[in-house]
Amino acid sequence: MAEGAAPQLGYRLPLSAPSARSGSGLVTAARRFRFRVAGPPVARAAALLGEAWSAAMAGSRLQKTGSVFSRTRNLLRTGVVPKPLWFDVYAAFPPLREPLYRVARPRRAAATDAVPPVLYREDEVRAKFYKVYGSGPKPFDLSQPNYKSTCQRFVEKYNELKEEGKIEEENLFEETGKALLASGITLQRRGTDRVAQQDHQDEEARDSALRLQLQTTLEELQEKKESREEQPPELRETQKENPSP
Amino acid sequence: MGCSVFSSLPAVDPEDRLLAEPLRHPDFFNVKELFSLKDLFDARVHLGHKKGCRHRFMEPYIFGCRLDQDIIDLDQTMQHLQLALNFTAHVAYRKGIILFVSRNRQFCHLIESTARECGEYAHTRYWQGGLLTNAHIQFGSGVRLPDLLVFLSSLNNVFEPHVAIRDAAKMNIPTVGVVDTNCNPCLITYPIPGNDDSPTAMELYCKLFKMTIIRAKSKRKHAEVFQELQSQEKSDTSHPVLAESRA
């Protein structure tokens, strides 16, 4: 549309038309190139040192204007530079996004296109597990690629029991704990129902938590003893890893 | 005079054919088979930095944020990696100079040995101001600048964009770079969104670049040898009288 406005002139008068700035960018850039390249000092130096030097000297160092490809294409069109090696390759296989310079301004607070959080259905079970049992009996061993943590086993057992459908929703959590106990993994409770209570008497709270812990461990020991008597002696070896004696 | 003119013509045509032939295929060097999604996942390429370090322009390449840690979208990484390796292979095929740049001191030796093994160059030390922009004064007048810069980590030691990215854009040199979630991918011609801090990921990238470059160079050698054989056959079978009548 700009070219149609002034067909007789070989160029447009760009500076007085700020609205057409994006369209005239190419023209103004080309004018700037002309000033940089075709000056008398360059011609003299070329005569002294040979063609290769002048060809190497010509170029466009405006990394904020257009991409490497667009600048090189324009330089080739004016004929000041020999065709670089990569030009045809880029033309045949362009990148997914043209590498234009963008100013990295900090975004306003209300970011509409922010990165979504990654959440799964099992996260509810995991959150409850960590709240009740803390970080689990054994640490994560990330050197193995297919490592399954206690929490992951818990979640899988939970899903299995849920799919079976025999147990109700409220009891599912405890049933999973018991099922894991039966397969040899002991879980120590961290301290129950301290969520919304901010007690002034911290010592009392600590004592009560300790007492609860003792109770639960004693209960578990008793359960284990009973289950040990029922189980065949081979399974006793799997229970050696538990911390409580 | 006529004989020399005629003998010069076939020299240009096969050369162009040699260079134009690979551009017709979408994946001439078959770089797709060098890596798979599982390889990228096992090498922990999808692990980004924490949410607070995220660069705004990396948001389109991030799959999601899990417990405040950014996870890079490996489907996009596959596409970008294929394009980048393809470009590198074509540049190596055309006997271009490739310069590996990284300021990550943990992998400096790995990158230098990778460059040595594939016959290209590496610069993993302090980048002096005018290495590209003032090359003719620093190195002399006849120096040839690299045709491709490969950034295996696009930040320098103070977590700012490496100066070479801007300088390569200034000197109209295309760049290929691994961009993590805290990097600016704007000026890099072929960015590869991926982790640049894990040893497994860096070893994977080095292995991929080395294999692509070696493959491209060997294909070039084969093509040249093949062409020489063809031209020898032609010169054996062609009659000098017939040649002049053609011209």
Side-chain angles (χ1 to χ4, degrees):
Chain A
M1 103 188 179
E3 275 76 34
Q8 281 152 0
L9 299 171
Y11 57 91
R12 283 187 304 117
L13 304 166
L15 297 172
S16 56
S19 57
R21 200 164 151 232
S22 57
S24 72
L26 213 73
V27 178
T28 46
R31 285 163 67 88
R32 268 184 273 170
F33 296 168
R34 255 182 266 147
F35 288 134
R36 274 173 200 242
V37 167
V42 177
R44 243 182 274 135
L48 287 170
L49 291 168
E51 262 184 27
W53 188 85
S54 65
M57 279 310 277
S60 154
R61 296 197 177 192
L62 309 165
Q63 87 269 21
K64 297 187 185 178
T65 312
S67 70
V68 175
F69 181 70
S70 65
R71 273 177 273 132
T72 318
R73 189 189 57 208
N74 298 332
L75 284 174
L76 283 177
R77 209 190 300 161
T78 51
V80 292
V81 134
K83 188 187 220 177
L85 221 75
W86 53 269
F87 191 81
D88 289 326
V89 187
Y90 187 113
F93 308 109
L96 295 174
R97 174 200 165 255
E98 205 188 344
L100 297 167
Y101 176 79
R102 279 165 75 184
V103 184
R105 277 196 206 98
R107 183 177 281 201
R108 284 191 303 266
T112 50
D113 211 15
V115 168
V118 174
L119 294 167
Y120 301 101
R121 280 206 180 280
E122 296 92 345
D123 284 348
E124 296 166 6
V125 184
R126 285 187 191 126
K128 205 170 171 193
F129 175 89
Y130 284 122
K131 190 158 67 167
V132 169
Y133 295 115
S135 54
K138 59 177 170 155
F140 281 55
D141 180 15
L142 293 175
S143 55
Q144 301 171 34
N146 298 326
Y147 177 74
K148 242 189 231 180
S149 62
T150 320
C151 181
Q152 186 58 26
R153 281 183 219 267
F154 188 94
V155 165
E156 283 172 1
K157 199 75 178 195
Y158 186 96
N159 286 336
E160 269 178 38
L161 292 174
K162 196 170 180 186
E163 268 171 46
E164 281 174 15
K166 291 175 197 164
I167 311 166
E168 292 159 6
E169 294 286 328
E170 304 96 42
N171 305 334
L172 209 53
F173 194 81
E174 276 136 42
E175 291 299 317
T176 330
K178 287 179 198 167
L180 277 188
L181 203 67
S183 58
I185 305 166
T186 41
L187 300 164
Q188 235 178 14
R189 276 178 182 261
R190 201 172 59 151
T192 48
D193 293 325
R194 278 203 290 167
V195 180
Q197 299 169 14
Q198 272 292 321
D199 292 337
H200 298 293
Q201 305 98 341
D202 288 331
E203 291 167 335
E204 265 197 41
R206 254 182 268 147
D207 279 345
S208 62
L210 271 169
R211 255 180 270 134
L212 271 167
Q213 262 192 346
L214 275 169
Q215 274 181 5
T216 45
T217 42
L218 281 169
E219 281 171 18
E220 283 168 4
L221 273 171
Q222 282 183 350
E223 278 181 345
K224 253 198 303 175
K225 273 186 194 162
E226 288 167 9
S227 58
R228 214 182 266 177
E229 285 164 13
E230 293 169 12
Q231 276 171 10
E234 302 157 25
L235 284 175
R236 274 188 214 161
E237 288 172 23
T238 59
Q239 292 181 4
K240 269 187 194 161
E241 58 179 312
N242 60 49
S244 54
Chain B
M1 180 59 193
C3 277
S4 64
V5 165
F6 188 69
S7 61
S8 68
L9 280 174
V12 176
D13 227 15
E15 181 70 25
D16 281 345
R17 220 183 313 130
L18 191 74
L19 295 179
E21 179 60 34
L23 295 179
R24 285 198 214 111
H25 306 255
D27 195 3
F28 186 71
F29 302 98
N30 207 3
V31 293
K32 270 194 186 140
E33 66 169 17
L34 292 175
F35 60 95
S36 67
L37 198 83
K38 189 169 190 316
D39 292 339
L40 295 184
F41 185 81
D42 289 336
R44 302 181 213 160
V45 165
H46 59 291
L47 300 176
H49 288 274
K50 286 278 191 176
K51 193 166 69 173
C53 299
R54 193 192 299 156
H55 197 281
R56 192 181 144 190
F57 298 146
M58 286 301 290
E59 277 168 13
Y61 305 120
I62 295 175
F63 175 75
C65 189
R66 174 81 169 161
L67 296 178
D68 281 0
Q69 185 179 11
D70 287 331
I71 308 293
I72 298 168
D73 189 357
L74 284 183
D75 293 320
Q76 289 189 54
T77 305
M78 292 274 284
Q79 285 180 316
H80 283 93
L81 190 57
Q82 196 265 326
L83 280 172
L85 289 177
N86 185 45
F87 188 81
T88 318
H90 281 278
V91 170
Y93 181 86
R94 289 161 175 248
K95 298 191 177 167
I97 293 180
I98 298 175
L99 183 68
F100 289 89
V101 179
S102 165
R103 206 53 183 105
N104 196 333
R105 298 177 68 166
Q106 190 180 359
F107 309 112
C108 136
H109 181 254
L110 171 69
I111 294 166
E112 285 177 346
S113 40
T114 309
R116 198 185 308 125
E117 279 157 30
C118 59
E120 296 295 344
Y121 306 86
H123 186 107
T124 55
R125 313 288 165 153
Y126 175 72
W127 182 277
Q128 270 192 324
L131 277 186
L132 290 179
T133 45
N134 209 13
H136 292 288
I137 294 175
Q138 288 194 358
F139 297 109
S141 57
V143 75
R144 181 180 162 187
L145 291 178
D147 301 295
L148 176 67
L149 252 62
V150 178
F151 288 92
L152 287 150
S153 159
S154 64
L155 299 179
N156 60 14
N157 283 347
V158 285
F159 300 103
E160 280 169 12
H162 201 294
V163 171
I165 299 175
R166 189 205 65 182
D167 283 354
K170 276 186 179 285
M171 303 308 290
N172 293 339
I173 299 171
T175 46
V176 162
V178 176
V179 279
D180 207 344
T181 49
N182 55 352
C183 306
N184 186 352
C186 285
L187 280 179
I188 297 177
T189 326
Y190 291 88
I192 303 169
N195 189 7
D196 62 1
D197 298 301
S198 291
T200 42
M202 289 301 274
E203 281 166 13
L204 178 75
Y205 299 135
C206 286
K207 184 188 83 168
L208 288 174
F209 278 111
K210 187 169 69 172
M211 284 167 79
T212 359
I213 292 170
I214 290 174
R215 197 181 266 205
K217 286 183 172 175
S218 60
K219 269 217 159 158
R220 172 67 184 233
K221 232 185 268 183
H222 291 325
E224 280 178 338
V225 163
F226 188 63
Q227 214 170 59
E228 242 189 73
L229 286 172
Q230 269 191 331
S231 64
Q232 271 184 10
E233 277 178 22
K234 272 190 188 164
S235 63
D236 287 339
T237 53
S238 70
H239 206 248
V241 176
L242 286 170
E244 275 181 48
S245 65
R246 248 182 262 147

